[in-house]
Amino acid sequence: MLILISAATLCATPSPADDPVFAAPVRVAVAGGRVATDAPGYAAPALHDVTGDGTKDLVVGQFDGGKIAVYPGKGDGTFGEREWLRAGGEIATVPGVW
């Protein structure tokens, strides 16, 4: 699965008429060459500094099991290998999702 994140996801700059101005989509590079999702494969990507290091990480919600994948940002526009979001040492899940 190739993820293209629109610059609209990253930021929107108001124009003088207060209409958002969006840049072209940006291809996201991750370690291993692709963003993986578990079957059935529905994903919800977003950027957020999960690790608290000042660099945005790629966060991908998984439909299967309600898990959340985190691809740590490297600070150069690329991302490391997938890690599962953890809470209390266990893989965190969203209740009520498959």
Side-chain angles (χ1 to χ4, degrees), residues 16-17 35 38 44 46 48 61 64 69 72 88 96 98:
V35 174
D38 293 344
H48 182 73
D64 179 49
W98 276 10

Side-chain angles (χ1 to χ4, degrees), residues 4-94:
L4 291 178
I5 296 183
S6 161
T9 305
L10 307 177
C11 66
T13 305
S15 71
D18 290 325
D19 291 330
V21 177
F22 302 109
V26 211
R27 187 177 300 257
V28 176
V30 299
R34 67 185 199 98
V35 174
T37 58
D38 293 344
Y42 304 113
L47 294 174
H48 182 73
D49 182 11
V50 175
T51 58
D53 63 1
T55 302
K56 297 223 181 199
D57 306 303
L58 177 61
V59 181
V60 182
Q62 303 284 299
F63 186 73
D64 179 49
K67 297 178 288 188
I68 299 172
V70 177
Y71 294 83
K74 294 183 176 183
D76 62 358
T78 64
F79 300 89
E81 293 192 30
R82 176 176 77 177
E83 303 170 4
W84 293 113
L85 183 67
R86 295 186 173 269
E90 301 291 323
I91 294 175
T93 59
V94 177

